Amino acid sequence: MALMVQAIRGMNDLLPEDTSIWQQVEKVLKDTLSSYGYSEVRMPIVEKTNLFCRAIGEVTDVVEKEMYSFEDRSGDHLSLRPEGTAGCVRACLEHNLVYNQEQRLWYMGPMFRHERPQKGRYRQFHQTGVEVFGIDGPDIDAELIALTYDIWKKFGIENDLQLELNSLGSAEERKAYKADLVKFLEANFEKLDEDSKRRTHTNPLRVLDTKDQEVQKLLADAPKLRDYFGAETKAHFEGLQKYLDNLGIKYVLNDRLVRGLDYYNLTVFEWTTTALGAQGTVCGGGRYDSLVEQLGGSPTKAVGFGLGMERLILLLTTLGKVKANPSVDVYVVGSGENCEETMLKVSAKLRQGLPGKRIMMHCGGGNFKKQFKKADKFGAKVAVIIGESEIANNTVTVKNMTDKDSEQREYAIEAAIDAIKEILN
Ligand code: ATP
Ligand code: MG
């Protein structure tokens, strides 16, 4: 049967097996963020287009080519958010959260970019974003990296990700550097790939990020941003490295790491893996000390990161570090005249006595064989059986589904709850 309407390319449904994994991963992220004292913010998914143009930069890939922009019925120019930082800063300014204050915030949710869909790259994807305002670092920069490292450790993937680190210096340092870089690129213009030619005059730093092997070789002789760093930038960058060394977090310095968005300065970092092919960046972030002012606030130091949920989950499943949870702990089966009445009551009592456990009641009748098949299908560890004798004796029978050889036993409901606890632990 041909489906009349299918999902949009690059926008995925998450089915029960997926959501079971997503929920486990989200819980680890939320618990970790909470353990650092960070608070959640939730912003709209749609913002005015000019917010992104001003925040991210007109000549970035995201704004130039990747945004889902449209005019709504009132003629307002709106875009689905391609990232969360711009909206988070907007929200903080609108509600006066950052003036003379410190904030450590996080959010989790969908982002939209019109890119070519492939493994690890989608048009609707999800990020966990963290934004910290009002602290100039590098201690907080180190904390953010340590926080991500904690997350990897909780999943046992800390050795599967590599931390790449760079400093983009201050705006003045970048300006001086850019002038010399453009001279170098112009002198070698004919050797550049098409993207790099275009970027030479729109966004020259992004040329450093080229995937073209030949251009990469050429760039070995290009001027280096670090040679333009003043004392402050050097102290900031060296401070961060010292903190990371003390924490035992390994990193590689990568002076080609520039990141795609315009608002970064000083610290930039990415966590990358070789296990996912070309889409190897799982998490990226850095400092963006000028963005708050650029969006109309008073100068406010800021640092953050975005973690790609699909890529993290792809990595975790590829490495076998998470698996879908069965959806049910206890399955209640029954047979006999009016057994449903008792099943409904018993299920309610089980839920009360077994908080946090998943109790599913069989519905729709059928013989026990069919009902036990369902219990297996849902991965139930325990079956609670209600037959005619149980109804007559006001008892239930408990069967351990994880140990086929164990005897099933009849209990009064309170004792049954204790027996089930024993099996589930
Ligand atoms: P890439 O270089 O892979 O395009 P990016 O620099 O555009 O990444 P950011 O804007 O820094 O990405 O977003 C932070 C993280 O969000 C990325 O490191 C990645 O894990 C994830 N991400 C970005 N774009 C996508 C996408 N289209 N699909 C899935 N995940 C994405
Ligand atoms: Mg991108």
Side-chain angles (χ1 to χ4, degrees), residues 62 66 82-83 112-113 115-116 118 120-127 206 209 211 259-261 263-264 270-271 278-285 305-312:
V62 170
E66 298 173 0
E83 54 97 64
F112 302 84
R113 296 185 192 178
E115 305 195 70
R116 191 170 69 77
Q118 52 199 294
R121 191 177 294 288
Y122 311 101
R123 290 180 171 176
Q124 173 171 334
F125 63 101
H126 299 75
Q127 279 185 354
R206 281 290 277 173
D209 199 30
K211 303 272 184 293
R259 309 205 23 80
L261 317 176
Y263 47 58
Y264 288 107
E270 284 189 355
W271 286 99
Q279 273 56 253
T281 307
V282 172
C283 174
F305 67 78
L307 188 163
M309 298 291 285
E310 280 80 1
R311 291 189 196 173
L312 172 60

Side-chain angles (χ1 to χ4, degrees), residues 330 346 349-355 357 359 382-384 396-400 409-425:
V330 179
V346 165
K349 282 192 186 143
L350 292 174
R351 287 187 198 104
Q352 232 174 17
L354 298 162
K357 299 299 178 202
I359 319 291
V382 175
V384 166
V396 299
T397 293
V398 174
K399 184 175 165 70
N400 183 347
R409 280 187 59 185
E410 198 174 332
Y411 300 93
I413 185 77
E414 293 309 326
I417 287 169
D418 290 338
I420 294 170
K421 276 185 190 157
E422 192 94 330
I423 297 172
L424 292 181
N425 282 334

